[in-house]
Amino acid sequence: MARLGSGTRFVLVAGTTETAARDGISAAGADPELMSVTPAADAEILTYGGPVRTDVIPVSPSGCPTPALVTRAVREVLGMDVTVVDGGLAESTGAPTVTVGARPGKDIAEQDPVPTAHGAFAAARQFGRALPADELWLGETIPGGTTTALGVLRALGEDVMVSSSLPENPVARKADVVAEGLATSSMHPGDAAGEPKRALRRMGDPVLATMAGLTAGAVETDTAVTLAGGSQCVAVAALVRHGGYEGSLGLASTSYVADDDSADLRESAERLDLDLTVTDPGFDESDHVAMERFVAGEAKEGVGMGGALALADRAGVPMAEVRDRFAELYDDRIGAPE
């Protein structure tokens, strides 16, 4: 088994937002009523390899498994250290977590959707400063997170579009939700430019607040930070940049997000001066059912999948080995295809 250096730490921030309950927003979970459980289950899968307290493996309505299985596959191959931070979980998880005081986020069309944003940011910042690591890789799991990411980006005045866990990005739907949220908060695009905490509290979610705090704290102690994901991580980078940080930041995502024409990841990375790494897991080279929906454009990213794949590639692990382990986990936990 390949191993990472002892100074590399992977952190998953797991939380929820009621924005996910909007129709047509997220593919995270076959049953919309179970979407609030998805982040708790993802944390257990990454930690233990399968559900413990949640007793569920998130699968989309079309059968796409959670990206947590991919990240777990990489963890088993590399033996990487993982920390889970409670970024506003609505359901209890069996995974050990670090608490920063985040609470589940409300719908961004409400007046004060993330009242714990300031406190969660501050506590996460302190934790990020104290984490013993030379390099920090930050991933997230939160259904509905691309919509709240768009809300934060618009509040900051960043004119970029987010991706989607759905094959067809519901751009108009997300834009309408964000416009509704801005109106409720009596804000216009760009009103929170240079005010990241205001953008978080009025248009964001608790996971974004936690990740932004972790990033801010880590870079203050010269820890190298790579944001492991897609659109939510772009929003985190924007928050940190609007907070005044001009130093180096990495962004590691999958080829599925990078190839999404509805959301130009490369343009966003260039705009925010991010060192972008794109990794293709080669799922199109397999006929296993677990990979078919990813190839069709579903999920694309999540639970730090892009970062995990980048770490595997950097360590010289063939993507075929990652695919094989992912397929084994799927067969063991969900059931082998007949």
Side-chain angles (χ1 to χ4, degrees):
M1 179 178 67
R3 288 197 63 85
L4 297 176
S6 59
T8 301
R9 177 166 293 277
F10 188 98
V11 175
L12 176 69
V13 181
T16 54
T17 170
E18 291 179 4
T19 310
R22 298 262 187 155
D23 289 340
I25 287 294
S26 177
D31 184 343
E33 294 182 0
L34 294 178
M35 279 199 292
S36 64
V37 182
T38 293
D42 282 343
E44 293 176 355
I45 291 167
L46 182 57
T47 302
Y48 300 115
V52 179
R53 179 177 293 175
T54 58
D55 196 32
V56 63
I57 291 184
V59 178
S60 77
S62 65
C64 184
T66 171
L69 287 174
V70 181
T71 307
R72 172 67 193 192
V74 173
R75 186 186 184 193
E76 293 187 3
V77 171
L78 290 182
M80 62 185 183
D81 292 329
V82 168
T83 299
V84 178
V85 177
D86 182 344
L89 287 168
E91 303 289 341
S92 297
T93 181
T97 61
V98 175
T99 300
V100 293
R103 296 292 180 267
K106 301 175 185 176
D107 189 294
I108 59 171
E110 295 192 24
Q111 183 68 38
D112 194 16
V114 198
T116 59
H118 292 197
F121 179 94
R125 187 174 190 169
Q126 183 178 13
F127 183 58
R129 282 199 297 261
L131 263 178
D134 297 323
E135 58 173 356
L136 194 61
W137 294 64
L138 295 176
E140 51 69 33
T141 171
I142 176 168
T146 58
T147 302
T148 46
L150 181 62
V152 162
L153 288 166
R154 290 293 179 270
L156 293 173
E158 298 292 340
D159 188 21
V160 297
M161 181 48 65
V162 296
S163 187
S164 173
S165 59
L166 297 165
E168 295 296 327
N169 192 355
V171 172
R173 176 68 174 136
K174 291 179 179 181
D176 287 346
V177 173
V178 168
E180 185 181 350
L182 287 170
T184 300
S185 294
S186 300
M187 293 176 64
H188 295 93
D191 277 359
E195 299 180 76
K197 292 180 184 177
R198 182 185 178 199
L200 283 166
R201 180 161 183 169
R202 297 303 179 192
M203 294 298 299
D205 63 57
V207 166
L208 289 174
T210 302
M211 289 188 70
L214 284 167
T215 302
V219 298
E220 287 171 0
T221 57
D222 295 324
T223 300
V225 176
T226 299
L227 300 168
S231 298
Q232 290 99 312
C233 289
V234 169
V236 171
L239 287 162
V240 174
R241 294 302 192 207
H242 278 257
Y245 180 69
E246 299 178 352
S248 177
L249 277 178
L251 175 66
S253 194
T254 65
S255 56
Y256 304 118
V257 177
D259 294 341
D260 182 359
D261 292 335
S262 68
D264 195 330
L265 184 73
R266 289 182 172 86
E267 179 182 339
S268 298
E270 183 176 357
R271 184 183 184 121
L272 293 167
D273 192 22
L274 305 177
D275 183 9
L276 178 63
T277 301
V278 174
T279 308
D280 182 357
F283 287 165
D284 58 336
E285 298 178 28
S286 171
D287 59 2
H288 194 283
V289 65
M291 303 174 210
E292 290 178 350
R293 296 311 303 167
F294 285 95
V295 175
E298 196 166 341
K300 299 183 184 70
E301 180 56 273
V303 200
M305 183 170 83
L309 292 171
L311 284 169
D313 187 58
R314 189 180 74 176
V317 176
M319 286 298 115
E321 185 174 347
V322 174
R323 293 193 298 271
D324 288 346
R325 187 63 194 128
F326 172 36
E328 290 171 3
L329 284 169
Y330 180 96
D331 293 345
D332 289 345
R333 303 293 187 265
I334 299 176
E338 297 181 357

